[in-house]
Amino acid sequence: MSAVTPLGEKLCKLRAERGFKQIELALRAGVSERTVRAAEKSVPIRSDLLEYLAIALGVSLRDVSVASNELTEMLRWRKNCQTFAETVRQSLFERDAASLLDVAHSDFAIYYFGAIRQVESVGEILGEYYGYDGIKQFVENAGHFWDKSQTGRILMDVPSGSGDIVHLSGYHEFLRDDGQSIWGRFTLIADFDGERIRSLQGMMVPGKPQK
């Protein structure tokens, strides 16, 4: 987790305006009183801890952070995460090709590979897709695949990556060809160019959640 430098005086002023003591703010934010003291002295702290303080004070992380390249990159990545997660949900699971078309770069490409034994229908979603016509075909193929194999059970990992790269991964339960269920491991990697997704790489392989 990246570190950011708090605007210590502003944090202190916001806390005082709300009538909080340092320990009260710490309890509201779910952090230690030591973290509050450090933040009000402008000592760099983890970005998530500073954001907890910002939320407790009713402001945004940007409002209480010193502007930096690291902060700008983190906020850009977070926005990309939200865009990508929502696009995956709408395009793959709600079969709305328009949601992916809306954020696709003009040179957009999808590369989806992998295999899961006893789930023959997985082949319908694999391959390479290019441009807007490729997006429509990919969403249509994904729809056919889900119709045959969907159980509705998905476990998502915490997103990873940085800047213009967003990784989404997790486990998905599928129906095998014999009607029984099997878990698979999926990974989706989006490469952003500004607010547009230039490419999407996907991999689907056998794997089950760790207990």
Side-chain angles (χ1 to χ4, degrees):
M1 186 68 65
S2 60
V4 293
T5 302
L7 292 170
E9 290 185 7
K10 187 171 183 180
L11 275 171
C12 187
K13 180 180 178 181
L14 288 170
R15 175 177 61 79
E17 289 175 348
R18 287 153 180 74
F20 300 154
K21 295 180 180 179
Q22 288 184 333
I23 185 61
E24 292 174 325
L25 177 57
L27 291 172
R28 287 172 179 269
V31 302
S32 68
E33 186 178 4
R34 180 180 178 181
T35 297
V36 176
R37 291 198 300 269
E40 292 188 356
K41 292 179 181 178
S42 298
V43 175
I45 63 174
R46 280 173 25 198
S47 59
D48 59 334
L49 297 180
L50 183 54
E51 186 163 28
Y52 297 154
L53 291 172
I55 292 171
L57 292 168
V59 298
S60 71
L61 176 62
R62 191 186 295 273
D63 290 331
V64 292
S65 304
V66 174
S68 66
N69 291 336
E70 291 78 9
L71 177 64
T72 299
E73 180 175 324
M74 185 192 70
L75 293 176
R76 184 175 78 250
W77 178 78
R78 182 177 296 178
K79 182 178 180 180
N80 289 342
C81 279
Q82 294 173 342
T83 297
F84 188 38
E86 182 64 14
T87 299
V88 168
R89 181 184 67 80
Q90 292 181 351
S91 61
L92 293 186
F93 301 119
E94 297 181 8
R95 307 177 192 185
D96 177 14
S99 64
L100 187 49
L101 290 168
D102 287 343
V103 297
H105 191 277
S106 58
D107 296 327
F108 184 79
I110 299 175
Y111 310 96
Y112 213 105
F113 303 100
I116 298 180
R117 184 184 301 177
Q118 297 178 318
V119 184
E120 185 176 346
S121 57
V122 74
E124 297 199 28
I125 199 174
L126 306 180
E128 299 182 7
Y129 306 82
Y130 301 97
Y132 295 153
D133 289 340
I135 290 174
K136 295 175 183 177
Q137 187 63 59
F138 175 71
V139 172
E140 181 179 342
N141 290 354
H144 293 160
F145 170 56
W146 300 135
D147 285 341
K148 297 177 181 178
S149 63
Q150 178 72 280
T151 68
R153 297 184 65 189
I154 302 174
L155 300 175
M156 295 291 295
D157 295 335
V158 175
S160 61
S162 63
D164 294 323
I165 304 296
V166 178
H167 294 242
L168 291 180
S169 59
Y171 298 92
H172 199 141
E173 187 182 46
F174 303 100
L175 289 177
R176 301 189 315 192
D177 299 335
D178 61 5
Q180 300 298 310
S181 65
I182 186 173
W183 284 96
R185 174 77 175 169
F186 68 88
T187 300
L188 298 169
I189 303 174
D191 182 3
F192 279 78
D193 182 0
E195 296 184 351
R196 299 281 179 175
I197 300 176
R198 180 181 291 277
S199 68
L200 169 59
Q201 299 180 55
M203 175 69 73
M204 195 178 296
V205 296
K208 61 181 179 179
Q210 302 297 315
K211 294 183 179 180

